[in-house]
């Protein structure tokens, strides 16, 4: 698919909402609340906001600019902009997106299962120990776990099989506003509970004594996760952005929506958790073990549970389609597959390889690496701690150094950036941002 024939988003809002959907995902609703809960609330939130609007925004602009200038998925764009020597770096991006979705789709399957249980009312249990056992029984059941994971992948495959404007863009224009409305409904209900203000204080009350080096590192890592940068998702979406669009303005909107969504995710959960005296440090199980206990004690709890888990399903789908799009764009651009054939092949491959991390909670739970890491943990560790940071460093170096003249022209088009703002942006790309990414990379390996 040549650059002249390449499809583009039909509107700027379509690009922003699709990209915001990729950035928001399960990060805002599933990961942010439990990471804030285990890292001191505001001690995690404030550094995250600061990092996202500086380092994160610079990396996002760099990645989108490379995609628009390179007019292709990550492999094609790297070849067009930097030469064949950089093609292996593009392959790393495709592999990263593929591996992330392999384990992410397992969690996506959990969201579908819990939504189904909310609809039937079978998942509303007050006892957290019983909820923990219920969750453990589900994720260890190969038929249920794989069935819901494959259903989740099928939904993604059907969306990306359509033309990018008829699939990803159209779905995002409907689902993203719906997601924000549903989140606001749940927040309003949670804030009405007696004792909910303790949750607000936990998230927003500035407490210098609560800051730790660990919380700062976690906030830096979550910045890259929440913006979905480093693997080529945003680069691929940038390749569908027409030359007349304000790239910087669009990226700043995406950054803003990602931060707002994370804060809303925290507001959805923390006030209710504190109101019922539950544990905010419950970790990854906060969404699937703690929240059903909340809904079981609320008037009209089943209705709010349905809305809550529908939020999570929507968030999971809008982000996962961006990851499968990396693979589909690679097959279309590099191997001339039709979009429907590429989507079918990608979905099938993800279902086969993705079964490994999915089954690591049951049939394959005895297989561990480095002492205690399951297959699921290894997929997460490799992508989050190694390939995503390396991908981020490559993107920053290409945009800020090797391809800067071309990227500079692309960034300044229709953006009205001053020379000082451009210098600040490039300094972030080649100076401050790489240092912080290296810190995340090294700390993640220790």
């Amino acid at each position: 698919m040549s650059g002249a024939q390449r499809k583009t988003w039909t509107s700027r809002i379509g690009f922003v909402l699709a990209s915001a959907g990729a950035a928001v995902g399960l990060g805002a609703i599933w990961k942010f609340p439990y990471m804030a809960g285990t890292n001191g609330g505001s001690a995690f939130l404030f550094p995250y906001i600061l990092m996202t609007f500086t380092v994160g925004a610079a990396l996002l602009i760099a990645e989108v600019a490379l995609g628009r200038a390179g007019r292709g998925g990550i492999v094609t764009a790297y070849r067009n902009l930097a030469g064949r020597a950089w093609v292996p770096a593009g392959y790393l991006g495709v592999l990263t997106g593929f591996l992330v979705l392999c384990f992410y789709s397992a969690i996506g399957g959990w969201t579908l299962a819990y939504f189904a249980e909310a609809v039937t009312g079978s998942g509303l249990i007050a006892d957290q120990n019983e909820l923990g056992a219920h969750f453990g029984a589900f994720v260890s059941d190969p038929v249920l776990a794989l069935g819901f994971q494959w259903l989740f992948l099928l939904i993604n495959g059907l969306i990306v099989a359509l033309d990018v404007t008829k699939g990803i863009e159209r779905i995002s224009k409907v689902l993203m506003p719906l997601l924000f409305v549903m989140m606001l409904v749940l927040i309003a209900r949670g804030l009405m509970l007696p004792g909910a203000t303790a949750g607000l204080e936990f998230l927003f009350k500035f407490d210098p004594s609560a800051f730790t080096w660990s919380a700062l590192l976690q906030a830096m890592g979550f910045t890259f996760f929440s913006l979905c940068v480093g693997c080529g998702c945003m680069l691929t979406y940038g390749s569908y952005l027409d030359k007349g669009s304000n790239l910087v303005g669009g990226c700043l909107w995406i950054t803003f929506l990602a931060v707002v969504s994370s804060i809303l995710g925290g507001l959805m959960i923390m006030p209710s958790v504190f109101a019922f005296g539950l544990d905010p440090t419950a970790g990854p199980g906060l969404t699937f073990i703690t929240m059903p206990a909340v809904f079981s004690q609320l008037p009209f709890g089943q209705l709010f549970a349905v809305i809550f888990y529908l939020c999570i399903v929507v968030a999971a789908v809008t982000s996962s389609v961006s990851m499968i799009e990396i693979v589909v764009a690679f097959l279309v651009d590099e191997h001339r597959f039709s979009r429907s054939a590429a989507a079918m092949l990608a979905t099938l491959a993800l279902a086969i390889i993705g079964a490994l991390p999915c089954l690591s909670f049951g049939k394959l739970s005895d297989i561990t690496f480095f002492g205690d890491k399951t297959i699921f943990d290894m997929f997460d560790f490799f992508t989050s701690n190694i390939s995503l940071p390396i991908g981020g460093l490559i993107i920053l170096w290409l945009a800020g150094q090797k391809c800067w003249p071309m990227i500079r022209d692309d960034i300044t088009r229709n953006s009205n950036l001053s020379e000082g703002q451009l210098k600040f942006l490039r300094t972030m790309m080649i100076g401050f941002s790489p240092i912080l990414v290296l810190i995340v990379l090294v700390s993640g390996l220790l």
Side-chain angles (χ1 to χ4, degrees):
M1 185 181 292
S2 69
Q5 298 171 316
R6 194 168 188 79
K7 286 283 184 179
T8 59
W9 306 108
T10 60
S11 64
R12 181 188 176 193
I13 191 67
F15 162 67
V16 169
L17 289 178
S19 301
V24 172
L26 285 177
I29 301 177
W30 170 65
K31 193 166 187 176
F32 175 82
Y34 87 72
M35 291 197 74
T38 54
N39 288 285
S42 62
F44 176 84
L45 174 63
F46 293 147
Y48 160 65
I49 293 174
L50 178 63
M51 296 289 178
T52 302
F53 278 111
T54 52
V55 178
L59 182 50
L60 177 62
I61 291 169
E63 186 163 334
V64 173
L66 286 172
R68 185 163 76 171
R71 306 310 295 167
I74 188 166
V75 174
T76 306
Y78 281 5
R79 180 191 294 110
N80 290 345
L81 294 172
R84 296 190 61 85
W86 288 89
V87 167
Y91 289 145
L92 176 64
V94 176
L95 176 65
T96 300
F98 180 85
L99 293 179
V100 168
L101 192 49
C102 280
F103 74 86
Y104 191 95
S105 59
I107 306 170
W110 302 351
T111 69
L112 288 177
Y114 270 69
F115 173 67
E117 288 192 344
V119 171
T120 61
S122 60
L124 301 184
I125 304 167
D127 187 338
Q128 284 202 75
N129 291 327
E130 190 177 342
L131 279 167
H134 177 74
F135 177 73
F138 164 69
V139 298
S140 62
D141 185 319
V143 175
L144 285 176
L146 284 176
F148 279 105
Q149 181 192 37
W150 291 346
L151 175 60
F152 181 78
L153 285 169
L154 178 62
I155 292 170
N156 282 271
L158 291 174
I159 293 171
V160 298
L162 299 171
D163 180 278
V164 68
T165 60
K166 296 176 182 176
I168 295 173
E169 182 174 3
R170 185 174 294 174
I171 288 291
S172 299
K173 283 182 175 179
V174 174
L175 293 185
M176 288 307 295
L178 176 65
L179 175 62
F180 283 114
V181 170
M182 290 190 297
M183 291 174 82
L184 290 173
V185 169
L186 289 168
I187 290 168
R189 180 64 188 94
L191 291 176
M192 293 178 186
L193 297 171
T197 53
L200 294 179
E201 290 182 2
F202 178 74
L203 281 175
F204 299 113
K205 186 176 181 180
F206 184 71
D207 181 10
S209 65
F211 281 85
T212 64
W213 176 246
S214 174
L216 183 62
L217 285 176
Q218 294 287 344
M220 284 194 289
F222 184 71
T223 290
F224 308 131
F225 184 92
S226 70
L227 289 176
C228 201
V229 288
C231 64
C233 289
M234 294 306 187
L235 188 150
T236 304
Y237 277 11
S239 73
Y240 301 123
L241 188 62
D242 68 83
K243 291 289 185 182
S245 296
N246 183 336
L247 185 151
V248 174
C251 288
L252 291 178
W253 267 109
I254 295 164
T255 306
F256 172 76
L257 290 174
V259 170
V260 167
S261 300
S262 293
I263 293 173
L264 292 179
L267 288 173
M268 277 175 59
I269 291 178
M270 285 305 168
S272 298
V273 167
F274 276 84
F276 287 105
L278 301 174
D279 183 10
T281 65
L286 189 65
T287 301
F288 298 102
I289 297 175
T290 301
M291 290 309 292
V294 169
F295 296 125
S296 71
Q297 301 174 66
L298 279 177
F300 305 104
Q302 183 178 353
L303 172 63
F304 290 110
V306 169
I307 297 172
F308 178 76
Y309 285 108
L310 182 58
C311 277
I312 298 180
V313 170
V314 169
V317 169
T318 56
S319 55
S320 57
V321 292
S322 70
M323 287 179 272
I324 196 172
E325 178 64 20
I326 299 173
V327 183
V328 170
F330 167 71
L331 293 173
V332 171
D333 293 344
E334 293 292 310
H335 299 286
R336 299 299 185 261
F337 275 69
S338 68
R339 174 164 278 272
S340 58
M344 185 184 304
L345 179 59
T347 304
L348 181 61
L350 285 161
I352 294 171
I353 306 300
L356 296 174
C358 184
L359 293 175
S360 69
F361 296 92
K363 293 290 186 182
L364 303 180
S365 61
D366 292 335
I367 300 176
T368 58
F369 304 85
F370 305 111
D372 59 350
K373 291 188 184 298
T374 64
I375 298 174
F376 184 99
D377 295 333
M378 286 303 298
F379 274 66
D380 188 7
F381 178 82
F382 174 76
T383 54
S384 300
N385 296 63
I386 301 175
S387 62
L388 277 172
I390 290 175
L393 288 172
I394 291 170
I395 287 166
L396 288 167
W397 192 86
L398 284 176
Q401 289 278 52
K402 187 171 181 63
C403 306
W404 176 249
M406 187 183 303
I407 298 302
R408 185 187 188 283
D409 291 342
D410 210 53
I411 289 173
T412 53
R413 188 180 299 118
N414 301 316
S415 67
N416 299 319
L417 285 179
S418 68
E419 199 61 36
Q421 290 170 325
L422 265 178
K423 287 181 179 178
F424 174 77
L425 179 60
R426 192 182 183 198
T427 299
M428 293 299 298
M429 287 183 185
I430 64 176
F432 196 48
S433 297
I435 292 172
L436 290 181
V437 175
L438 277 171
I439 291 173
V440 170
L441 176 61
V442 173
S443 63
L445 295 175
L446 295 179

